[in-house]
Amino acid sequence: MRQKIGFIGMMIGLIGMLMLACQPSVTPVGPDLTPYELNLPPQFPQPESPPENALTQQRVALGRALFYDPILSRDSTISCASCHLLTEGLADHNPVSVGIHGRKGFRNAPTLLNVAYHPYFFVEGGSPSLELQVLGPVENEDEMGFNGAELDQRVRHHPVYGPWAERAYGRQMGIYVVVRALAAFERTLISGDSPWDRYMRGDSAAMSPAAQRGWQLFTSDRLQCRGCHSGLNFSDYSFRSNGLYADSPDAGRHRITLDSADLGTFKVPSLRQVALTWPYMHDGSLPTLAVVIDHYDQGGKGHPNQDPRIQPLGLQPQEKADLLAFLQALTDTSVAKRADWMKP
Amino acid sequence: MKTRLPYLLILVAFLGLILNGCKTTGCTDPTAIDYDPDATESGDCVYPNLMLHFHPLVGGEDLNFDNTFTIGGVAVKFSVVQFYVSAAAVSGNGVADENEDTYLLVKAGTMNYPVGQITAGSKESVRFSVGLDSTTNHADPTLYESDNPLALQSPSMHWSWDKGYQFIKIEGMVDTDNDGTPDAAMEFHIGKDSNLRTISLDISQSADMEMFMVNIDYDLAKLFDGIDLSTEYITHTGDFPALATKVIENVPGTFSIQ
């Protein structure tokens, strides 16, 4: 009898152990934070990311997918890439952005190349981060015509983005993830392989003689272009009037500060890819670089807040041609071929 | 001995009862509704909770989105009426109950807004701000959970190009050609730090129940007092600051105790 009991007890114990052993072990899987290593051109500084949005491979990939996804617009027809095309200098050829239903805004889309280095966004400088900038086009009636809260609801249970948000950020998909993933992808849009870049790194044959003369003019005290279009991104990000109008219909930075000294002033744009991003100015009103050069040559229209550097220049035709050649030397042709920036 | 024992027992029982009766558990916080001055041991306390009741009017009539109203002789219809309220506080007897971290998005369709716990006692005034303090006004709206009033809203209460909230959003239609029928879209989107306004109203109520409700009217006819809505009916603050200022100057006079 005792032996039987002992045997039964042992069998129960063994079966119990087997049952426990066959329980699948449930370990929670956190996000995949494998870092994204930026391949920076020589002398380009490491761009900053906010602490909760460090660059990771998952985040950049998710952001890239979202960049090309018209799901961000109310009727799902317009994506970021609709106005920021790789082949058009990461901008487009429309004077002003065209949104859903063919609606037209009142501002020209700027290039996104090297946008990671900008301290603030939009021509008024009102958006403090790439994350918050996303909300601008999303909620603009004339662009994506949508709404942040509604976009949040739309993506919350997305079959692909849902799990991807968990992998990239360890949280549910929503507007928090959308703006951060897009910002992460945009921070990787860095390139410095234009003829000018190579010339500055010591390749004296990288720019044509005309372009080299144009560069000398650009940096001269006589023209003072470099005064505002400075640094490796060709902008000091200050707010200026270049005298495009005597009386600017667009109030520019004044929309934010309500300071009369800011009427008609706009953030100095980067000149990267400038030969590809026609037409020019905040409203796309100048069609070609030659017209832009003429504008500066004439010394602006005399707006009350016009920057004092904007003066008649007395440029000779050869000098204008040289400046044009230099501006064209700012085109980095590798950008349009970046497979890692194209639609996935 | 036999006859004294029962008396002893009764005495002991009596003493026991008296001793136990002197030790009472109750609320020992004088700011609570159920404060028991005789309590010797601290127990659970009950406190009043402030509820703000915001009642929308137009010229004294109840607001609704179906009717056409008249403000300053101009026919008006409303479709969106909402505003942020912050820093709600009540005070009485020299004590102020602040609720710094409570932010409300008051919408015309909802009247009751819980604010938070306050102290018991008589209250003499209620105070609140229309709009947001500067720090909150420039915070990242994507950080809030979707049910938080400061999260992104539909319709939007945030200017995505200017990192700030719309304190007041009023939309609808106005009659621009004086035929009695509203014909043009009206948009009052008013914000910016300098447009924050604080309202203080006298009350005479005692907070002695769990819900302490303060009933506040807001009259849109007073908000647009002195504004000709047939000619001035669109401002997004940055593009027409003077009209936004006219509205903001009317904000304190818009609110009154029912």
Side-chain angles (χ1 to χ4, degrees):
Chain A
M1 185 62 184
R2 264 196 205 159
Q3 277 177 325
K4 268 193 191 166
I5 290 171
F7 180 71
I8 292 168
M10 199 176 70
M11 288 311 295
I12 290 172
L14 272 169
I15 291 166
M17 276 169 63
L18 270 166
M19 284 173 70
L20 278 170
C22 290
Q23 291 286 347
S25 64
V26 181
T27 4
V29 179
D32 172 7
L33 296 175
T34 310
Y36 181 99
E37 302 295 342
L38 272 173
N39 232 341
L40 291 172
Q43 283 141 41
F44 273 48
Q46 187 78 19
E48 288 174 17
S49 292
E52 86 284 358
N53 200 22
L55 291 179
T56 69
Q57 291 183 10
Q58 289 294 339
R59 290 170 184 174
V60 171
L62 173 56
R64 178 176 157 203
L66 287 167
F67 190 85
Y68 285 93
D69 196 335
I71 202 178
L72 263 63
S73 57
R74 183 171 290 282
D75 64 354
S76 298
T77 58
I78 300 281
S79 69
C80 309
S82 303
C83 300
H84 296 284
L85 294 89
L86 217 52
T87 49
E88 294 180 21
L90 279 165
D92 67 7
H93 293 319
N94 291 313
V96 294
S97 298
V98 178
I100 61 171
H101 307 314
R103 290 180 194 159
K104 286 192 188 157
F106 56 104
R107 294 274 173 76
N108 182 263
T111 182
L112 294 186
L113 187 62
N114 298 342
V115 77
Y117 297 115
H118 292 231
Y120 33 71
F121 306 92
F122 302 123
V123 292
E124 304 96 342
S127 192
S129 65
L130 278 171
E131 284 79 358
L132 289 179
Q133 184 280 338
V134 173
L135 298 175
V138 166
E139 297 202 325
N140 187 315
E141 278 308 304
D142 300 322
E143 296 182 35
M144 289 165 163
F146 204 17
N147 173 278
E150 290 177 61
L151 175 56
D152 180 85
Q153 288 302 309
R154 178 183 277 183
V155 297
R156 202 150 262 269
H157 303 293
H158 194 280
V160 171
Y161 294 137
W164 208 343
E166 294 287 350
R167 282 202 304 281
Y169 289 94
R171 56 188 285 164
Q172 183 170 31
M173 187 55 176
I175 193 71
Y176 174 101
V177 169
V178 169
V179 304
R180 281 164 180 78
L182 279 165
F185 170 65
E186 289 177 85
R187 288 194 177 101
T188 67
L189 298 172
I190 297 179
S191 186
D193 204 35
S194 67
W196 176 83
D197 287 299
R198 287 182 259 119
Y199 175 83
M200 294 302 284
R201 290 197 282 269
D203 180 358
S204 52
M207 285 208 293
S208 66
Q212 291 183 34
R213 289 192 300 270
W215 169 235
Q216 292 310 312
L217 277 165
F218 192 85
T219 54
S220 69
D221 288 337
R222 176 179 153 218
L223 267 57
Q224 300 196 76
C225 313
R226 201 71 175 138
C228 300
H229 291 287
S230 56
L232 55 79
N233 238 4
F234 288 83
S235 168
D236 66 352
Y237 315 112
S238 62
F239 301 95
R240 308 274 169 193
S241 162
N242 66 0
L244 183 62
Y245 299 103
D247 182 8
S248 178
D250 188 327
R253 181 141 175 87
H254 180 267
R255 276 177 96 203
I256 294 194
T257 64
L258 305 182
D259 184 343
S260 61
D262 292 330
L263 272 168
T265 66
F266 303 83
K267 180 177 148 200
V268 172
S270 167
L271 296 184
R272 291 269 172 194
Q273 308 300 82
V274 71
L276 297 179
T277 63
W278 54 267
Y280 305 100
M281 303 293 136
H282 64 270
D283 57 356
S285 59
L286 299 189
T288 66
L289 282 177
V291 171
V292 171
I293 291 169
D294 281 341
H295 163 78
Y296 283 104
D297 186 36
Q298 282 151 29
K301 301 276 195 298
H303 188 279
N305 291 331
Q306 182 170 308
D307 190 274
R309 289 189 194 91
I310 310 296
Q311 299 283 347
L313 300 174
L315 290 170
Q316 301 302 310
Q318 181 64 57
E319 292 177 315
K320 291 187 184 181
D322 292 344
L323 272 169
L324 184 60
F326 158 67
L327 291 172
Q328 286 163 346
L330 293 178
T331 302
D332 181 338
T333 54
S334 73
V335 168
K337 299 174 199 152
R338 288 289 294 256
D340 55 337
W341 295 350
M342 289 176 188
K343 185 170 175 174
Chain B
M1 192 63 192
K2 255 190 191 170
T3 45
R4 275 197 202 162
L5 192 57
Y7 291 113
L8 271 170
L9 284 167
I10 291 168
L11 190 61
V12 167
F14 208 59
L15 277 168
L17 270 169
I18 290 170
L19 282 169
N20 268 329
C22 285
K23 234 195 200 185
T24 48
T25 304
C27 174
T28 53
D29 184 351
T31 69
I33 296 169
D34 58 348
Y35 169 58
D36 182 356
D38 298 325
T40 52
E41 277 179 19
S42 155
D44 287 338
C45 292
V46 178
Y47 296 90
N49 283 282
L50 174 63
M51 175 91 78
L52 291 179
H53 174 98
F54 283 103
H55 191 113
L57 303 170
V58 187
E61 293 175 58
D62 286 345
L63 166 71
N64 68 63
F65 289 163
D66 296 322
N67 287 11
T68 302
F69 298 89
T70 307
I71 296 180
V74 178
V76 186
K77 228 174 152 187
F78 295 95
S79 59
V80 176
V81 172
Q82 47 197 60
F83 52 94
Y84 278 107
V85 164
S86 59
V90 286
S91 46
N93 294 329
V95 175
D97 297 305
E98 314 269 349
N99 280 279
E100 295 294 337
D101 295 330
T102 303
Y103 297 89
L104 312 172
L105 177 55
V106 176
K107 298 188 185 185
T110 303
M111 298 214 205
N112 293 330
Y113 296 85
V115 175
Q117 186 176 292
I118 59 172
T119 60
S122 62
K123 304 297 172 190
E124 294 143 17
S125 79
V126 65
R127 191 184 74 235
F128 58 92
S129 295
V130 172
L132 305 172
D133 57 274
S134 173
T135 305
T136 306
N137 193 24
H138 299 298
D140 179 350
T142 69
L143 291 176
Y144 300 106
E145 291 302 316
S146 55
D147 59 356
N148 188 313
L150 294 170
L152 293 169
Q153 301 289 323
S154 176
S156 178
M157 289 295 282
H158 189 265
W159 280 304
S160 28
W161 52 271
D162 190 16
K163 65 171 191 300
Y165 286 81
Q166 295 173 28
F167 294 174
I168 298 172
K169 188 183 197 86
I170 295 179
E171 293 181 349
M173 303 276 282
V174 290
D175 173 23
T176 58
D177 54 9
N178 202 23
D179 67 353
T181 308
D183 51 77
M186 156 179 78
E187 285 177 5
F188 286 87
H189 301 172
I190 303 179
K192 290 201 188 293
D193 294 340
S194 56
N195 285 327
L196 178 70
R197 286 294 178 275
T198 300
I199 291 93
S200 198
L201 300 167
D202 291 336
I203 57 176
S204 179
Q205 293 171 238
S206 184
D208 49 21
M209 313 262 283
E210 275 190 72
M211 177 156 77
F212 181 71
M213 173 119 56
V214 178
N215 295 317
I216 302 168
D217 283 334
Y218 61 100
D219 194 324
L220 297 177
K222 294 182 186 171
L223 187 65
F224 293 109
D225 183 39
I227 293 170
D228 179 1
L229 287 171
S230 69
T231 56
E232 294 186 320
Y233 49 93
I234 295 186
T235 175
H236 305 106
T237 309
D239 59 358
F240 195 174
L243 181 55
T245 301
K246 276 192 195 177
V247 173
I248 288 298
E249 280 168 358
N250 288 336
V251 161
T254 297
F255 295 88
S256 58
I257 298 295
Q258 254 174 31

